[in-house]
């Protein structure tokens, strides 16, 4: 019940802070851009768009969300409430995956890349949770948005380069160890979807645990002395 | 009286140097207990330990019947914390904030009654970002009462309030005490502490320097004095004598007999004076 309350709270927060409006605009923008592309480009462009934005929006937005909560001192109240840290983290990840899924499905449908909607959906939800967990681990430790942006640069390189490489044709099997590559494989319902699903799960669960630990630490260091 | 909080030989450190060192005290159910101390004395850290945020301490800390480092999941259902600075979603309205935080608990008091108790009912649908500092402080206070907790931690609850709202808030604190709630008040405000607290503890450098009722602390460190002003050779002169020695002050008696006093008043040391005397530090 508390998890449901947290998710409702996070969805309301994201709505009030304009996330839905922003992504309605982005969705229309991306679809407009896809419409302008030649037919032969659309699938790869749609894959790239879905992967680089709605799927990984948590990586960018988690910094803003947690910094808002830190600056408004809301984390202090949550830390002394009966919620568990893992519920807090799960709520953040799931609530952001709602926007990720809705926007990705819209772009995916227009770009004609929904060869297997269930596989696409699973990849989006898991990938979004994974990227949000990455974002949360960084956001839990920082005090300013600049710090967040700087610290996420190496993460973005790690997340984006192999996946983009895979989209544009490089297909060595070992690349399937990369979570982003697994997402692309699942988006396209490729022959290695099952392996991709297992590897992606193998990334997402430990990252969720690490994000929970990072938030535990962040709750502990709220207020008081800084050493 | 039943003990709601029992702290025995508590020590904690962020580094090798002890930050909280050998702290022991008990707080009874229905008692208002005050912590007074300068910034960095360890009040917030102590509060974090009592509220279960810090668990790696040494010694024993029992709150509401549970050892804090091994508390059960329901522990925070009975703890309410009002932080010194508002802890609210600024873009949500007051009512939305209360509904959200209330939804995290099993019990929930009537939101409309709480809003009314601090005069915010007509402003409940305003965004918190449009609230004044005092309004945020009042909203922050009732947020801590939302789930009707048995133990309340209040950190500078009247900070930033005008005298009328501060009075109202102190009456609400006393009303909670009347309902047998245990209240831990952390403050720099000696007047609030003197008025509200059954007992206060002075904390300096992570240790309790003194612990007693405000009255006992005040009376233990000096008697009341009488201060009087009179004219001498065209200048105002101030005389001072202990209240219990006015009969021996011949100058005062002659000034009274000759109607030459310009002013006279008694004064007693404040809790702040006692704090400075005992700890050698100032509260701010």
């Amino acid at each position: 019940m508390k998890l449901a309350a947290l998710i409702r709270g996070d969805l309301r927060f994201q709505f009030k802070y304009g996330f839905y409006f922003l992504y309605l605009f982005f969705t229309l923008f991306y679809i407009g851009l896809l419409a302008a592309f030649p037919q032969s480009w659309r699938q790869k462009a749609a894959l790239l768009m879905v992967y680089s934005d709605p799927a990984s929006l948590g990586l960018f937005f988690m910094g803003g969300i947690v910094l808002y909560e830190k600056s408004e001192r809301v984390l202090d109240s949550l830390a002394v409430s009966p919620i568990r840290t893992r519920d807090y983290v799960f709520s953040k990840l799931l609530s952001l995956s709602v926007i990720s899924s809705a926007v990705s499905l819209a772009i995916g449908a227009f770009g004609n890349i929904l060869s297997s909607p269930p596989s696409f959906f699973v990849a989006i939800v898991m990938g979004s949770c994974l990227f949000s967990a990455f974002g949360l681990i960084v956001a839990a430790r920082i005090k300013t948005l600049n710090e967040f942006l700087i610290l996420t640069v190496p993460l973005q390189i790690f997340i984006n380069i192999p996946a983009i490489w895979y989209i544009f044709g490089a297909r060595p099997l070992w690349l399937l160890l990369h979570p982003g590559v697994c997402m692309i494989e699942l988006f396209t319902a490729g022959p290695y979807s099952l392996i991709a699903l297992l590897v992606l799960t193998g990334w997402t669960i430990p990252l969720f645990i690490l994000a929970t630990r990072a938030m535990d630490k962040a709750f502990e260091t709220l207020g008081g002395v800084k050493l | 009286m039943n003990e709601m909080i029992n702290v025995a030989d508590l020590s904690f450190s962020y580094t090798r140097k002890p930050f909280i060192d050998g702290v022991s005290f008990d707080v009874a159910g229905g008692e208002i207990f005050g912590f007074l101390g300068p910034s960095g004395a360890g009040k917030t850290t102590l509060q974090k330990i009592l509220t279960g945020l810090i668990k790696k301490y040494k010694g024993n800390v029992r709150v509401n019947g549970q050892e804090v480092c091994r508390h059960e999941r329901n522990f925070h259902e009975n703890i309410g914390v009002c932080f010194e600075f508002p802890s609210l979603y600024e873009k949500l309205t007051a009512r939305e904030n209360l509904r959200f935080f209330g939804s995290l608990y099993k019990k929930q008091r009537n939101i409309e009654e709480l809003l009314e108790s601090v005069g915010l009912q007509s402003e409940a649908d305003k965004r918190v970002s449009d609230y004044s500092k005092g309004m945020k402080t009042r909203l922050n206070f009732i947020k801590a009462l939302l789930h009707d907790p048995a133990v309340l931690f209040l950190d500078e609850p009247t900070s930033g309030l005008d005298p009328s709202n501060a009075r109202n808030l102190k009456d609400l604190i006393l009303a909670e005490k009347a309902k047998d709630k245990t209240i831990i008040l952390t403050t720099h405000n000696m007047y609030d502490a003197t008025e509200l607290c059954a007992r206060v503890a002075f904390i300096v450098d992570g240790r309790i320097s003194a612990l007693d009722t405000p009255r006992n602390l005040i009376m233990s460190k000096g008697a009341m004095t009488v201060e009087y002003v009179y004219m001498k050779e065209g200048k105002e002169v101030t005389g001072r004598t202990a209240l219990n020695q006015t009969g021996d002050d011949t100058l005062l008696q002659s000034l009274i007999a000759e109607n030459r006093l310009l002013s006279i008043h008694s004064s007693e040391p404040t809790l702040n004076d006692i704090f400075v005397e005992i700890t050698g530090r100032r509260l701010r």
Side-chain angles (χ1 to χ4, degrees):
Chain A
M1 288 306 286
K2 280 172 187 137
L3 177 62
L6 279 171
I7 292 172
R8 275 198 303 274
D10 277 329
L11 291 173
R12 188 185 297 117
F13 172 92
Q14 288 157 20
F15 176 76
K16 288 267 182 175
Y17 281 75
F19 285 33
Y20 289 92
F21 180 76
L22 185 71
Y23 268 90
L24 178 65
F25 171 78
F26 277 143
T27 307
L28 295 174
F29 174 75
Y30 284 135
I31 287 175
L33 209 58
L34 280 178
F37 284 158
Q39 190 71 36
S40 58
W41 290 15
R42 277 192 196 164
Q43 283 194 328
K44 279 188 176 158
L47 268 178
L48 195 60
M49 282 175 184
V50 167
Y51 181 75
S52 63
D53 191 351
S56 56
L57 66 90
L59 183 60
F60 313 116
F61 280 100
M62 204 50 88
I65 292 171
V66 175
L67 277 176
Y68 260 129
E69 292 190 332
K70 281 184 179 175
S71 70
E72 292 172 352
R73 297 188 170 84
V74 175
L75 288 183
D76 298 53
S77 290
L78 294 176
V80 293
S81 77
I83 63 161
R84 290 178 295 192
T85 312
R86 67 168 181 258
D87 288 344
Y88 171 87
V89 173
F90 200 45
S91 166
K92 287 277 176 288
L93 270 47
L94 269 189
S95 59
L96 277 179
S97 77
V98 171
I99 308 181
S100 290
S101 312
V103 176
S104 301
L105 285 168
I107 298 172
F110 192 83
N112 200 24
I113 53 171
L114 296 182
S115 49
S116 166
S119 170
F120 186 91
F121 181 73
V122 167
I124 276 295
V125 172
M126 287 186 67
S128 171
C129 288
L130 174 75
F131 294 144
S132 297
F134 268 129
L136 198 55
I137 290 167
V138 178
R141 294 152 202 261
I142 48 100
K143 291 194 185 108
T144 66
L145 201 54
N146 283 346
E147 274 181 87
F148 183 79
L149 293 174
I150 291 166
L151 286 171
T152 49
V153 167
L155 272 177
Q156 287 178 41
I157 293 169
F158 165 74
I159 284 166
N160 286 322
I161 303 291
I164 292 170
W165 198 29
Y166 198 75
I167 289 174
F168 287 98
R171 299 278 160 134
L173 265 183
W174 58 265
L175 262 186
L176 280 171
L177 291 172
H178 185 273
V181 171
C182 294
M183 285 173 69
I184 305 295
E185 184 68 11
L186 285 165
F187 284 165
T188 53
Y192 302 109
S193 288
L194 188 60
I195 295 170
L197 181 64
L198 291 172
V199 173
L200 193 55
T201 309
W203 275 93
T204 307
I205 292 172
L207 258 294
F208 171 75
I209 293 167
L210 288 176
T212 304
R213 284 190 188 162
M215 279 316 297
D216 261 332
K217 192 82 183 161
F219 282 140
E220 229 178 68
T221 52
L222 291 171
V225 293
K226 298 279 185 292
L227 294 164
Chain B
M1 264 198 177
N2 60 323
E3 276 176 11
M4 278 299 271
I5 297 175
N6 176 262
V7 176
D9 203 21
L10 168 67
S11 295
F12 171 77
S13 180
Y14 293 98
T15 59
R16 285 182 183 174
K17 193 181 164 204
F19 192 72
I20 300 285
D21 193 12
V23 166
S24 299
F25 62 93
D26 298 318
V27 184
E31 179 178 358
I32 303 182
F33 187 91
F35 281 123
L36 276 81
S39 298
K43 302 189 300 289
T44 305
T45 303
L46 192 52
Q47 182 170 299
K48 284 166 76 175
I49 293 171
L50 291 170
T51 54
L53 281 180
I54 294 176
K55 294 176 182 167
K56 291 172 186 167
Y57 56 80
K58 289 178 186 164
N60 294 103
V61 180
R62 290 186 72 79
V63 175
N64 200 17
Q66 295 187 39
E67 182 65 41
V68 173
C69 64
R70 297 187 295 274
H71 70 70
E72 293 166 18
R73 274 194 70 192
N74 66 355
F75 178 74
H76 287 111
E77 293 282 355
N78 272 309
I79 284 184
V81 184
C82 173
F83 295 97
E84 179 179 3
F85 299 104
S87 163
L88 301 156
Y89 287 105
E90 296 264 332
K91 287 215 175 185
L92 300 188
T93 67
R95 190 175 270 117
E96 285 170 337
N97 265 286
L98 294 177
R99 278 189 188 144
F100 169 68
F101 285 106
S103 71
L104 305 179
Y105 296 88
K106 285 179 189 161
K107 275 188 290 179
Q108 197 184 110
R109 279 170 73 170
N110 186 304
I111 287 175
E112 300 308 315
E113 282 175 15
L114 285 171
L115 284 163
E116 198 178 355
S117 71
V118 289
L120 287 177
Q121 205 172 23
S122 60
E123 314 282 348
D125 293 315
K126 253 189 187 177
R127 281 182 174 195
V128 171
S129 55
D130 295 330
Y131 270 27
S132 68
K133 188 181 175 193
M135 290 162 83
K136 286 180 189 173
T137 302
R138 286 182 273 157
L139 179 60
N140 200 42
F141 175 74
I142 56 171
K143 182 165 74 67
L145 306 181
L146 260 178
H147 52 292
D148 203 19
V151 186
L152 261 174
F153 292 87
L154 307 176
D155 196 351
E156 304 286 1
T158 58
S159 167
L161 290 181
D162 61 71
S164 159
N165 278 312
R167 180 67 265 159
N168 182 42
L169 205 127
K170 282 190 272 188
D171 288 342
L172 289 172
I173 293 172
L174 292 169
E176 290 302 308
K177 173 190 156 49
K179 286 191 268 180
D180 216 26
K181 303 295 169 68
T182 303
I183 299 167
I184 302 291
L185 180 69
T186 306
T187 185
H188 287 108
N189 189 322
M190 59 188 165
Y191 299 108
D192 283 359
T194 309
E195 179 187 346
L196 297 171
C197 298
R199 290 182 303 150
V200 294
F202 292 163
I203 299 189
V204 179
D205 296 332
R207 292 179 187 186
I208 292 183
S209 313
L211 194 166
D212 209 332
T213 65
R215 184 78 194 152
N216 284 349
L217 284 168
I218 288 167
M219 297 314 289
S220 68
K221 293 286 174 182
M224 287 176 72
T225 58
V226 172
E227 198 174 276
Y228 51 93
V229 180
Y230 60 98
M231 294 296 284
K232 185 179 177 184
E233 295 168 1
K235 287 182 183 173
E236 280 190 8
V237 179
T238 302
R240 207 171 275 114
T241 187
L243 184 64
N244 57 6
Q245 289 171 3
T246 47
D248 302 332
D249 190 329
T250 51
L251 173 61
L252 175 61
Q253 287 176 2
S254 67
L255 289 169
I256 292 170
E258 294 163 21
N259 289 324
R260 284 174 54 208
L261 281 176
L262 295 177
S263 71
I264 181 167
H265 63 267
S266 64
S267 67
E268 62 184 46
T270 64
L271 211 49
N272 196 36
D273 298 330
I274 304 304
F275 184 87
V276 173
E277 193 174 331
I278 290 177
T279 68
R281 305 277 283 273
R282 296 204 163 270
L283 280 173
R284 281 195 187 275

